[in-house]
């Protein structure tokens, strides 16, 4: 599998894992919400029953009322309201836990992609060093170093003019062709911030000499 194919596969696997985690969280939330809905429906029925007991009394204050049942209804409503507060608190804790799980998973994904890209760069460096050593054994004069332009850490090609060059906040470079292929700087993991115009200008001036 190619590097691009491997990176795509890795990203797809993380997407599947995140979706699975989010479905698990939705299921947990639904269980709490279902339990709460049952009690809220019961509370609505109790309130209606209480209103049914109070309406005749409002119309005729002298009329007798089932105070025992009214007391029972009041207690049941209090229990349901306490349950509502408990479920709300548990949902808040659960959401905090779920958010932490998602954050950790995304950080792990970012690190795994970074490690993969870094490993690819190291392998390319090793391969290029081996090629140079072989060239030196074959023709020492032809393999003499000619430092004319910095190498892109991704494709290992010299970034000669008119190559567009980008840099991260720490000054690490990457060529325009490779920038879309990496998520962030393969050396320090910072995002690339823009064109390294000063470097491009210096290389152009060196090439003209």
């Amino acid at each position: 599998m190619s590097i691009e194919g491997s990176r795509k596969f890795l990203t797809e696997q993380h997407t599947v894992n995140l979706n699975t985690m989010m479905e698990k969280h939705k299921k947990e939330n639904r269980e709490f919400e279902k339990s709460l809905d049952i009690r809220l429906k019961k509370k609505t029925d109790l309130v209606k029953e209480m209103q049914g007991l109070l309406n005749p009394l409002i119309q005729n204050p002298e009329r007798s009322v089932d105070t025992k049942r009214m007391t029972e209804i009041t207690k049941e409503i209090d229990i349901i309201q306490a349950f509502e507060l408990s479920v709300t608190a548990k949902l808040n804790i659960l959401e905090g836990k779920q958010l932490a799980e998602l954050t950790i998973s995304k950080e792990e994904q970012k690190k795994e992609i970074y490690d993969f890209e870094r490993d690819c760069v190291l392998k390319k460096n090793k391969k290029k060093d081996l090629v140079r050593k072989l060239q030196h054994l074959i023709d020492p004069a032809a393999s003499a170093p000619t430092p004319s332009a910095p190498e892109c850490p991704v494709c290992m090609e010299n970034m000669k003019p008119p190559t567009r060059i980008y840099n991260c906040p720490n000054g690490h470079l990457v060529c325009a062709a490779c920038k879309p292929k990496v998520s962030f700087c393969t050396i320090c993991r910072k995002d690339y911030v823009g064109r390294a115009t000063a470097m491009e200008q210096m290389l152009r001036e060196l090439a003209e000499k």
Side-chain angles (χ1 to χ4, degrees):
M1 186 181 292
S2 67
I3 293 175
E4 286 299 318
S6 299
R7 185 184 291 110
K8 183 179 179 182
F9 175 78
L10 190 61
T11 302
E12 288 174 349
Q13 284 296 109
H14 279 293
T15 300
V16 170
N17 291 340
L18 282 176
N19 289 338
T20 301
M21 185 180 294
M22 291 176 72
E23 283 300 319
K24 171 176 165 285
H25 292 168
K26 287 179 182 178
K27 183 179 178 182
E28 291 173 344
N29 291 345
R30 281 197 297 268
E31 290 174 356
F32 274 101
E33 290 165 357
K34 182 179 178 181
S35 178
L36 183 59
D37 287 343
I38 292 172
R39 283 163 176 79
L40 288 177
K41 185 178 181 301
K42 175 67 174 175
K43 179 181 176 182
T44 301
D45 293 339
L46 290 170
V47 170
K48 287 181 181 179
E49 185 179 352
M50 178 70 84
Q51 289 174 341
L53 292 171
L54 289 174
N55 285 338
L57 186 62
I58 293 172
Q59 295 172 0
N60 182 8
E62 301 297 326
R63 189 169 180 172
S64 61
V65 64
D66 188 349
T67 55
K68 181 180 178 182
R69 179 55 187 155
M70 290 177 67
T71 300
E72 291 173 350
I73 292 173
T74 301
K75 287 181 179 179
E76 288 185 59
I77 290 175
D78 288 342
I79 291 171
I80 292 173
Q81 287 177 334
F83 179 80
E84 287 179 52
L85 293 175
S86 173
V87 169
T88 300
K90 288 178 180 178
L91 275 173
N92 289 336
I93 294 171
L94 182 61
E95 288 173 359
K97 179 183 176 183
Q98 291 169 350
L99 180 61
E101 287 179 355
L102 285 173
T103 301
I104 291 171
S105 180
K106 288 178 180 178
E107 286 299 318
E108 288 176 348
Q109 174 185 355
K110 187 175 180 181
K111 182 179 183 301
E112 190 169 350
I113 291 175
Y114 167 77
D115 290 341
F116 169 76
E117 293 174 347
R118 185 72 177 271
D119 186 55
C120 289
V121 171
L122 292 174
K123 287 179 179 178
K124 284 184 178 180
N125 285 339
K126 186 176 181 180
K127 180 180 178 181
K128 192 162 187 178
D129 287 341
L130 288 173
V131 170
R132 283 175 178 167
K133 289 177 181 178
L134 288 173
Q135 288 175 338
H136 180 72
L137 291 174
I138 297 169
D139 187 355
S143 61
T146 54
S148 57
E151 289 181 346
C152 171
V154 179
C155 66
M156 307 307 299
E157 295 295 332
N158 287 335
M159 294 184 283
K160 299 176 182 179
T163 303
R164 288 181 300 166
I165 304 173
Y166 291 82
N167 66 289
C168 73
N170 292 325
H172 302 129
L173 307 175
V174 68
C175 72
C178 292
K179 181 176 177 290
K181 300 177 184 178
V182 292
S183 305
F184 32 74
C185 175
T186 57
I187 298 173
C188 66
R189 300 180 68 177
K190 300 289 185 181
D191 292 331
Y192 290 109
V193 293
R195 291 276 294 277
T197 52
M199 175 62 72
E200 290 178 12
Q201 182 179 351
M202 183 186 73
L203 293 174
R204 282 196 298 270
E205 291 174 354
L206 288 173
E208 291 170 359
K209 290 182 179 180

